[in-house]
Amino acid sequence: MVKSAVEVLGDETLRLMAAELVGIIRKNAGVDWTVRKNIQAKMKVSVKRLLKKYGYPPDKQKLATESILKQAELLCIDMGVSAV
């Protein structure tokens, strides 16, 4: 049986992770972050460290990291942050 992130980590831990993730994205996102590979790489490393810090299942970290960065990109596009 595959457990969800909520079952593994709990609601409170996920809430704390989400708050820290927002901080990571805000700290690193600039006007052109969606096209600059070095900034994307820095964000990936920060997100992976955060997932590891909170004990996120290692086998799901890659997918979670990709998902988080894709969501951040979509959010920033909606806010007009990613305009080059």
Side-chain angles (χ1 to χ4, degrees):
M1 181 177 162
V2 178
K3 292 185 177 184
S4 70
V6 175
E7 291 172 324
V8 173
L9 300 172
D11 286 333
E12 183 61 23
T13 301
L14 290 175
R15 187 187 67 72
L16 292 171
M17 286 176 67
E20 284 190 49
L21 284 168
V22 169
I24 289 170
I25 301 303
R26 284 185 178 159
K27 177 181 171 187
N28 292 294
V31 174
D32 59 352
W33 79 271
T34 57
V35 293
R36 293 186 53 198
K37 298 297 180 193
N38 63 328
I39 295 175
Q40 292 173 18
K42 185 177 177 182
M43 279 186 175
K44 276 186 183 181
V45 169
S46 296
V47 169
K48 287 179 183 180
R49 284 184 184 153
L50 178 86
L51 294 174
K52 193 174 205 176
K53 172 183 169 183
Y54 283 99
Y56 201 85
D59 59 327
K60 298 179 194 253
Q61 286 182 7
K62 183 177 180 180
L63 181 61
T65 301
E66 292 171 5
S67 178
I68 289 165
L69 292 177
K70 184 64 178 171
Q71 290 176 22
E73 185 177 342
L74 293 172
L75 179 63
C76 289
I77 287 170
D78 286 346
M79 294 171 50
V81 175
S82 65
V84 180

